[in-house]
Amino acid sequence: MQIFILTISPETFQGPFNCGLFQKAVDKGIVKVDIRNIRDYTHDKHHTTDDSPYGGGAGMVMKPEPIFEAVETIKAELAQQEITGVPVILMTPQGQLFTQAVAQKMNQYENMIIICGQYEGVDERVREHLVTEEISIGDYVLSGGELAAMVVVNAVVRLLPGFLGSPQSLLSESHTDGLLEYPQYTRPQEFRNWAVPDILLSGNHAEIAKWRENQAIIRTKQRRPDMIERAN
Ligand code: 6GU
């Protein structure tokens, strides 16, 4: 998978993409991340990426020209490798809510371009004529789309084959089947007088599976009744 990220703040991405499992995935060639500075696609002396809104009002709006030029440059590079139809995703609090189902859909993309919105937003012509999807990570406002892009990229990339040591863990984790995950325990069997549930030590795999399913349902009912309504 190849992910292009357009941002006015490329430094922000240094931490999350350069350590741990993500770095390993890059080293293994599972994912390639190409972070590009939108400023590099400006042509004025001050490398202007934003301007005040027409009609007045507070804040700044991202200008369309550098964003179009950045996306068109990447598309032209990809077209040389006969790659076309690349999704262009805008990170914005106005977008579709990002869920595990959306992560699974995006996990199928071979290539994608992610634009990190900033300030009060981006010029509407970017949404109308360049972007194919808009994504929000939740009902709150961040100062920029960068953190949201990191969240999305992490959730999508960890689903790629070869990312996780034991891919079976993807099957039982929270949100995959519309439920929260059951409680997990590891050694020691007794810690400060708190014991691991007997059933987990029984070796009876059918009973353990039943217990876990039950726990997942109880837990989801208690914490996320909204999810129970949607689960079957
Ligand atoms: Cl994608 N961007 C910003 N700026 N704020 C957000 C968001 C995105 N998703 C939730 N809040």
Side-chain angles (χ1 to χ4, degrees):
M1 175 179 283
Q2 184 164 222
I3 304 173
F4 296 86
I5 298 176
L6 304 185
T7 171
I8 56 158
S9 178
E11 326 79 64
T12 321
F13 291 88
Q14 290 315 310
F17 290 170
N18 292 293
C19 58
L21 279 179
F22 201 95
Q23 179 65 57
K24 250 188 210 159
V26 172
D27 293 344
K28 281 194 269 187
I30 292 170
V31 63
K32 191 171 164 236
V33 182
D34 189 335
I35 297 165
R36 303 220 183 167
N37 195 334
I38 294 169
R39 272 185 217 292
D40 293 343
Y41 299 89
T42 56
H43 298 286
D44 62 310
K45 197 169 113 201
H46 300 290
H47 301 289
T48 314
T49 57
D50 62 325
D51 205 339
S52 47
Y54 274 114
M60 298 294 267
V61 176
M62 289 180 87
K63 292 167 65 59
E65 310 97 302
I67 298 177
F68 269 82
E69 187 173 318
V71 168
E72 283 163 358
T73 302
I74 293 165
K75 281 183 173 173
E77 290 169 17
L78 290 173
Q80 302 234 309
Q81 307 161 52
E82 273 154 51
I83 299 166
T84 56
V86 182
V88 180
I89 297 151
L90 177 65
M91 300 308 304
T92 162
Q94 301 181 30
Q96 178 196 10
L97 192 59
F98 187 65
T99 61
Q100 193 64 23
V102 176
Q104 279 157 355
K105 183 187 84 177
M106 290 175 69
N107 182 51
Q108 305 302 310
Y109 297 163
E110 289 280 337
N111 299 276
M112 67 185 95
I113 301 171
I114 301 178
I115 303 166
C116 301
Q118 278 279 340
Y119 316 114
E120 299 304 301
V122 304
D123 188 286
E124 189 66 17
R125 289 163 290 191
V126 171
R127 302 171 183 279
E128 284 180 345
H129 306 295
L130 195 61
V131 161
T132 59
E133 303 166 50
E134 300 178 36
I135 292 180
S136 161
I137 63 164
D139 293 340
Y140 42 81
V141 179
L142 302 168
S143 59
E146 281 75 10
L147 282 170
M150 288 180 226
V151 167
V152 166
V153 168
N154 186 291
V156 171
V157 167
R158 69 183 285 284
L159 298 175
L160 289 171
F163 184 91
L164 289 181
S166 47
Q168 292 92 330
S169 59
L170 289 177
L171 298 176
S172 63
E173 68 187 3
S174 295
H175 301 293
T176 299
D177 56 4
L179 294 174
L180 300 179
E181 195 179 3
Y182 49 79
Q184 297 275 24
Y185 295 87
T186 187
R187 278 178 281 272
Q189 191 178 325
E190 194 165 306
F191 169 67
R192 298 191 177 172
N193 262 334
W194 300 307
V196 172
D198 285 336
I199 180 77
L200 297 178
L201 312 171
S202 68
N204 184 335
H205 295 295
E207 284 302 313
I208 291 172
K210 237 193 266 175
W211 180 84
R212 285 179 164 169
E213 191 187 353
N214 213 17
Q215 289 291 316
I217 294 169
I218 292 168
R219 178 159 286 207
T220 311
K221 267 186 186 157
Q222 281 172 346
R223 301 181 185 192
R224 294 291 305 274
D226 58 306
M227 285 173 64
I228 287 283
E229 276 165 35
R230 272 171 290 160
N232 36 35

